[in-house]
Amino acid sequence: MIAAPATMHAFETLEQAMVDPDLCVFPLRFFAKYDDGNRLVAAPTLSMAITETLPSIAPSRAIFGARRMPEDGRSYDCYEIIFPDTEDRPTDGYVEWGVRKSVTFDDEIEIFDASDEFRTAEGLLRYRAQDLGEDEKSLEIIRDGVVRYIQAFDNMALWDPKASTDITAGFDELFQRRDWTRFVPRVELEVSEVTIANVEFLPYDDDLALIRFDYANGADVGREMEYLKLHGERPTVVRHGWSALRSAIPAFKGRQLNQVHDALQRAVDAMVGEEAA
């Protein structure tokens, strides 16, 4: 049943928020070679706290994302996240909210510019696909560009709610009349259908609720949750850049998010309809 929730997180002081057992609240530090910064973050889980911080760090028109840091260290021109020392860490929130454990305080996470990486990968592949020849060395260079483009495309789809999710159209445009399927078969670009079940409503604050649900994504199964806007013509599943399903260690690919959000909205609409009846 959808109903107006109780206010769970109204605090008069920062100290009250810092000890709230249902919130992950901590000072998040990040640094790059020539820059650094910090934000006080607060969200139900650690993963959600990181995601909600990214828009405030990104320059105008840039789309920032977060991901696991490579084993050989921080990627070029990326920020490294510094978590608090062990004794100063709050709960990560996953047990308290009963959802999948994704990012932990022990993970090494970097913040990257998904929009810049996509522009770079797209530009490189456009040149390689249209200007390079058919010799083996050229084909290998194109193949490398295809791999980089797929990765960058999926990153944009994950972190930018306005990004295209039609990767085959992207390849058609970049290769023009050249056959790109010899570098990556269309079937390898297909994403599996995600099924959801046991959708339930959790109160959060006066403006937002949370919807928790079980999912099956191929062989992967688990439980996740998403924000729900309560005001307006109807309760609406949040799809913005701070969507809880956008994560440094996500349960879904960016090209799967639309189908998950659509399924959640249908479930919410059904719950509202049952209540109205």
Side-chain angles (χ1 to χ4, degrees), residues 217-232:
N217 182 12
D220 296 329
V221 296
R223 178 175 289 180
E224 274 284 4
M225 63 183 179
E226 180 59 283
Y227 285 118
L228 183 71
K229 286 186 177 181
L230 295 175
H231 300 303

Side-chain angles (χ1 to χ4, degrees), residues 122 124-133 142 171-178:
E122 184 181 51
L124 284 173
L125 183 56
R126 186 186 306 277
Y127 159 71
R128 295 175 180 182
Q130 297 180 17
D131 293 351
L132 295 186
I142 295 172
F171 277 124
D172 288 341
E173 192 273 326
L174 292 174
F175 278 79
Q176 294 187 350
R177 290 176 296 277
R178 198 171 188 178

